[in-house]
Amino acid sequence: MDLYSEIILDYFKHPRNKEKLAEATHEAVEHNPLCGDIIKIYLHLGPDNKVDKATFEGQGCAISQAATSMLTEQLSGKTLEEIQNIKNEEIYDMLGVPISPGRVKCALIGLVCAKKATDQQIKK
Amino acid sequence: MFDSKQIKTAFPILKRQINGKSLVYLDNASTTQKPQSVIDAISNYYQDHNANIHRGIHTLSEEATDAYEQTRTHVARFINAESPDEVVFTRNTTEAINLIAYTFGETEIFPGDEIIVSQIEHHSNLVPWQYLRQKKQAQLKVILLKEDLTLDLVKYRELLSPKTKLVCITGMSNVLGTIPDLKIIIEEAHKVGAKVLVDGAQSAAHLPTDVQELNCDFFTLSAHKMLGPTGIGVLYGKKELLNKLPPFNYGGSMIKTVDQFESEFADTPAKFEAGTPNIADTVAFKKALEFLEEIGLKNIFEHDTQLLDYAIERFKKYPEVKLFNPRAINSQIKAGGVLSFTVEGSHPHDIASIFNAEGVAIRSGHHCVEPLMKHLNIPATARMSFYLYNTEEDVERAEKALKEVIKIFK
């Protein structure tokens, strides 16, 4: 079927940036109560106020895991405001497969979590 | 037995194509499909008989009232209640359970009292009791699950005490298919003076129900899980208990006389049915009961079990697959036709997506039983649940989809 493209399966089986980021400046957790999925996103803001490292942890379906992993690769170089302005369509384009209404939450959980993280600075 | 292929033809939706393939519907524990007779009964009611009930003198109102009350009488017979007055219509099982939590909870539960639930309860038979626990400073105790996915009734006996006021137990698990031994659970509860509420949302659709033989105090069911429309549920209660309870909602239809500042309430069941009810769907529910009775609940359960065993046999061949049903562990145990499973390396959501691409409708997620998922140490399962219109070919189609899952995620 179309949903499980080689790229998505590759990101699911070999996720990029899936690790805890000890030096994170921002972080957030997002649940999907429907399926029990959980995603945690870590951002590190560089001196130029742009994200220079983004990682994630968590568990979930192939779509949520691949989308979040791909997203973390896109976050570097962006300001917090630019992250807040990422549109849902950009995630669908990035995934490149048809996302049915039932899977929208899976596709977007990483983005929702990343936007939440921009608001949640870690107090050190 | 009966011919499930023939039965399938009575359900127009089962002729549908999904993703270019004929639909195989295996999500019956969520809701069941409706036979043509039920669908027709809804439109027939609105076309020829629609009127408000219990108030009009005109012909239509008399017809509507009669049809509505006929379903009540039919439900009473279906569950073998002593009288139709013991049958209260609600929106669904959840509302029926809440009715007891609010009314029985209000008058019978006090600080320090104990309510017992089991580890396999649907959220609808857990969260209302959590609410009561907090509101009344009551204790909530839990009957635990054993390794063989049946309940530990030895430990259950130890939970019972004179403080136990209510035992709330499912008739059949919607995740595991586990069928608790209700007779024993109820007998033991009564010995300490506790009342028992049975959540029959699953069991009423798949097993014969005899509330008098069970001797349960309350029994609940949802029409939509037994070929009937959505929006109709039933609370059965022993008449002397229902008579003692205060009303649930207040307003029209639930009164005898109303003065400016106070009112006298109607007798049960009207006391619990404030406002205009869901008349059309209640009327149509009777057709669903007739359909089930014609085939026979004993036969339906036997058919479910055959399909369950066939699915276990087909699915257990794959080392990646883990099955969650007592019969997958011990084929001597009686269990419902609900087969939860996981496939190593793939998430249940992905399993359900791939099944759907093959035209096979299954459920994935925690199935509204999060504490059980935590106990089993899994975030979610995929679940097939069988009913009278499912066939061995349906199981084979599911197996074909399973092979696809394994291929994609290997």
Side-chain angles (χ1 to χ4, degrees):
Chain A
M1 66 182 292
D2 301 340
L3 188 58
Y4 299 99
S5 66
E6 270 184 45
I7 296 174
I8 286 185
L9 287 173
D10 185 49
Y11 271 87
F12 175 59
K13 291 172 186 170
H14 313 286
R16 281 63 138 179
N17 297 327
K18 191 169 180 179
E19 58 187 338
K20 187 179 160 85
L21 188 61
E23 67 272 24
T25 55
H26 295 70
E27 65 179 32
V29 178
E30 184 67 21
H31 294 267
N32 182 348
L34 288 178
C35 49
D37 288 2
I38 179 164
I39 293 278
K40 187 166 187 181
I41 283 205
Y42 302 93
L43 304 175
H44 181 266
L45 208 56
D48 56 354
N49 275 332
K50 287 180 177 168
V51 169
D52 56 16
K53 178 90 177 151
T55 67
F56 79 105
E57 286 183 300
Q59 53 170 344
C61 67
I63 306 306
S64 75
Q65 294 291 295
T68 306
S69 179
M70 289 162 122
L71 175 68
T72 56
E73 291 186 323
Q74 310 274 323
L75 295 179
S76 287
K78 284 191 163 51
T79 64
L80 296 181
E81 201 187 343
E82 282 168 343
I83 291 173
Q84 280 164 359
N85 289 331
I86 296 174
K87 293 191 170 59
N88 296 350
E89 289 69 29
E90 294 177 55
I91 302 293
Y92 303 145
D93 289 347
M94 183 184 81
L95 289 167
V97 294
I99 298 296
S100 68
R103 302 306 293 269
V104 162
K105 276 204 163 136
C106 314
L108 298 182
I109 188 171
L111 181 61
V112 170
C113 191
K115 287 183 177 180
K116 203 167 160 186
T118 62
D119 262 347
Q120 297 184 12
Q121 192 166 5
I122 301 167
K123 293 188 180 74
K124 295 210 166 144
Chain B
M1 279 294 275
F2 54 89
D3 181 359
S4 44
K5 267 187 207 149
Q6 182 61 36
I7 286 173
K8 222 171 204 179
T9 62
F11 294 77
I13 205 169
L14 298 177
K15 296 183 184 84
R16 260 200 73 166
Q17 300 277 307
I18 302 288
N19 295 315
K21 293 169 176 127
S22 61
L23 167 65
V24 171
Y25 187 78
L26 297 180
D27 194 17
N28 294 291
S30 287
T31 196
T32 58
Q33 298 303 344
K34 320 305 172 198
Q36 190 67 54
S37 59
V38 169
I39 298 168
D40 288 346
I42 296 171
S43 60
N44 177 51
Y45 170 78
Y46 283 122
Q47 277 187 30
D48 290 333
H49 309 288
N50 178 52
N52 213 328
I53 55 169
H54 295 144
R55 54 199 77 181
I57 302 295
H58 60 80
T59 300
L60 292 184
S61 179
E62 282 181 349
E63 286 174 4
T65 304
D66 182 50
Y68 182 82
E69 291 302 326
Q70 271 187 35
T71 300
R72 194 190 309 277
T73 305
H74 208 114
V75 170
R77 199 166 67 224
F78 188 85
I79 62 174
N80 196 30
E82 214 177 306
S83 146
D85 293 345
E86 296 177 317
V87 173
V88 177
F89 287 120
T90 62
R91 278 191 302 148
N92 45 38
T93 298
T94 300
E95 190 177 62
I97 295 172
N98 272 277
L99 194 159
I100 294 303
Y102 278 88
T103 59
F104 183 87
E106 188 55 42
T107 55
E108 304 291 331
I109 304 285
F110 298 98
D113 283 350
E114 294 176 358
I115 301 165
I116 296 179
V117 297
S118 88
Q119 209 166 17
I120 55 174
E121 297 310 316
H122 190 281
H123 293 166
S124 63
N125 199 24
L126 172 63
V127 181
W129 312 120
Q130 292 176 343
Y131 154 79
L132 205 56
R133 168 183 173 267
Q134 204 181 10
K135 192 180 173 211
K136 290 294 192 105
Q137 288 94 50
Q139 296 280 319
L140 199 56
K141 295 194 162 179
V142 182
I143 310 172
L144 299 177
L145 200 59
K146 294 190 294 181
E147 290 282 311
D148 66 359
L149 303 180
T150 65
L151 293 179
D152 191 338
L153 294 191
V154 175
K155 292 250 172 67
Y156 163 65
R157 288 184 178 92
E158 293 167 13
L159 297 179
L160 289 164
S161 82
K163 286 183 181 170
T164 312
K165 287 292 152 66
L166 191 61
V167 176
C168 307
I169 183 81
T170 182
M172 179 191 289
S173 159
N174 67 313
V175 176
L176 304 173
T178 304
I179 299 173
D181 191 334
L182 293 178
K183 283 277 292 193
I184 289 181
I185 289 171
I186 292 164
E187 254 177 52
E188 295 291 323
H190 285 167
K191 280 184 196 165
V192 298
K195 306 296 181 210
V196 181
L197 177 144
V198 175
D199 168 3
Q202 297 295 329
S203 69
H206 298 271
L207 285 167
T209 302
D210 186 333
V211 290
Q212 291 190 71
E213 203 215 333
L214 278 177
N215 198 20
C216 58
D217 301 287
F218 305 109
F219 188 94
T220 61
L221 60 84
S222 284
H224 74 95
K225 291 196 199 284
M226 44 202 300
L227 309 183
T230 53
I232 281 298
V234 165
L235 167 70
Y236 156 85
K238 285 180 180 165
K239 201 171 175 187
E240 69 271 19
L241 289 173
L242 291 180
N243 280 340
K244 278 203 299 185
L245 295 179
F248 179 38
N249 290 318
Y250 295 81
S253 307
M254 52 77 69
I255 39 80
K256 266 184 192 152
T257 60
V258 178
D259 288 332
Q260 191 64 67
F261 295 104
E262 48 192 68
S263 300
E264 193 186 339
F265 304 128
D267 295 329
T268 179
K271 180 169 75 175
F272 300 106
E273 293 181 8
T276 298
N278 183 351
I279 306 166
D281 291 315
T282 306
V283 170
F285 182 31
K286 179 162 167 267
K287 294 290 174 193
L289 295 173
E290 285 169 357
F291 198 102
L292 293 174
E293 281 165 342
E294 198 169 306
I295 293 158
L297 271 290
K298 262 192 185 148
N299 292 331
I300 291 171
F301 184 72
E302 207 174 300
H303 170 77
D304 290 345
T305 305
Q306 277 176 15
L307 287 184
L308 171 68
D309 287 350
Y310 188 52
I312 290 171
E313 182 195 318
R314 304 295 289 222
F315 273 51
K316 77 174 181 196
K317 293 180 300 191
Y318 303 90
E320 301 87 346
V321 174
K322 201 168 171 206
L323 302 173
F324 299 87
N325 180 294
R327 283 181 82 81
I329 298 167
N330 177 352
S331 62
Q332 298 304 306
I333 300 174
K334 182 179 166 188
V338 179
L339 187 56
S340 277
F341 64 99
T342 55
V343 181
E344 205 187 323
S346 58
H347 188 281
H349 261 38
D350 295 318
I351 298 172
S353 276
I354 293 164
F355 271 58
N356 185 57
E358 296 294 319
V360 183
I362 60 166
R363 171 84 193 268
S364 63
H366 54 55
H367 317 290
C368 297
V369 194
E370 276 191 68
L372 174 62
M373 294 291 133
K374 285 170 189 158
H375 169 74
L376 297 171
N377 205 19
I378 44 176
T381 70
R383 178 189 72 185
M384 299 186 283
S385 47
F386 307 108
Y387 211 19
L388 69 179
Y389 38 63
N390 291 124
T391 62
E392 290 199 343
E393 288 83 75
D394 291 350
V395 175
E396 286 153 16
R397 288 274 304 279
E399 187 192 4
K400 188 165 166 269
L402 174 69
K403 283 184 189 161
E404 193 64 20
V405 171
I406 292 169
K407 196 176 96 195
I408 289 174
F409 285 98
K410 75 168 179 286

